[in-house]
Amino acid sequence: MTVKNKKSSILRTVFLDRDGVINFDSASYILSWDEFKFIPGSIEAIARLTSAGFRIFIITNQSAVGRGLITTDVLFNIFSNMTRAIESGGGQIDGIFFCPHTPKDGCDCRKPLPGMILNATKKYGINLDLACMVGDKPSDIKCARAAGCGYAILLGNNTISDASHDPDLVPDIVLPDLKAAANRIISRLGKDLPRAKEPAL
Ligand SMILES: [Mg+2]
């Protein structure tokens, strides 16, 4: 991405992956609200982003639906409880986009494909140059790049060495958690930080 002027580097929309970003992920999927555990600091981070004026959308693969492990009713119940808890903490989620399919389904929405972000962009008129994706897997970064997001943050103890042969898997920065990501995103407000000048990963 080439930053042509100061304004174009100001981020206004944040796409958040759910599992591993907002709540702890599970290899056996999150199948009920009882299994949904917020990562410490994530509610506060979303509240900070909301207060700073960002629109926030959740972009999440939920193949447990396609695998028959959870119904959409239960998934919506989890979303609803999650949203309520976030709102109680002062945050706001502007929209939730989920992919219910399995890898075998051949859909165009399962990350790393960009379908969910593109749907959100169409529906809400998002300027992707001014959007940031936050995820905990390289597939989140690839999705962000495929959609054309201006900035992409990878969370956790990820290293990018395995992915370095594919530039679409390389994030702008790796940070430990959503709290750190929110601080980073907010600190970019009004600052001219083209990708080429990011600190070394
Ligand atoms: Mg995840």
Side-chain angles (χ1 to χ4, degrees):
M1 178 181 127
T2 302
V3 175
K4 292 175 182 160
N5 56 51
K6 199 168 184 177
K7 192 178 176 187
S8 69
S9 68
I10 299 173
L11 301 166
R12 290 298 182 200
T13 299
V14 179
F15 297 113
L16 298 178
D17 172 40
R18 194 195 78 174
D19 302 327
V21 172
I22 295 173
N23 57 285
F24 290 106
D25 202 356
S26 166
S28 51
Y29 306 98
I30 307 297
L31 302 178
S32 69
W33 176 240
D34 282 347
E35 295 178 8
F36 186 102
K37 304 297 175 199
F38 281 102
I39 294 171
S42 65
I43 290 180
E44 294 81 358
I46 293 171
R48 287 199 65 215
L49 289 168
T50 298
S51 299
F54 290 94
R55 289 192 296 174
I56 301 167
F57 299 91
I58 293 175
I59 303 290
T60 177
N61 286 353
Q62 292 297 325
S63 69
V65 174
R67 296 175 204 274
L69 300 172
I70 185 175
T71 63
T72 49
D73 280 352
V74 174
L75 182 63
F76 289 152
N77 174 264
I78 294 171
F79 285 152
S80 155
N81 281 298
M82 175 192 72
T83 301
R84 203 172 300 133
I86 289 170
E87 287 174 353
S88 295
Q92 183 180 324
I93 301 297
D94 293 274
I96 299 175
F97 292 79
F98 71 96
C99 168
H101 306 109
T102 69
K104 291 180 182 170
D105 290 332
C107 67
D108 62 4
C109 49
R110 181 175 166 81
K111 292 180 286 185
L113 293 176
M116 289 186 280
I117 288 183
L118 296 180
N119 284 343
T121 299
K122 204 168 165 185
K123 186 170 178 183
Y124 292 94
I126 293 162
N127 182 343
L128 286 171
D129 281 344
L130 309 185
C132 174
M133 172 78 193
V134 183
D136 68 322
K137 290 184 179 167
S139 58
D140 294 310
I141 305 308
K142 191 160 188 171
C143 170
R145 298 299 184 221
C149 290
Y151 201 71
I153 298 174
L154 185 62
L155 299 188
N157 298 316
N158 290 288
T159 60
I160 60 167
S161 56
D162 292 344
S164 57
H165 61 282
D166 183 349
D168 286 345
L169 295 176
V170 180
D172 290 289
I173 194 166
V174 180
L175 294 169
D177 55 25
L178 185 53
K179 183 181 175 187
N183 289 341
R184 178 67 183 166
I185 292 165
I186 291 167
S187 75
R188 284 175 61 88
L189 272 171
K191 292 184 179 175
D192 187 10
L193 287 174
R195 184 182 297 173
K197 293 184 183 174
E198 288 296 317
L201 293 169

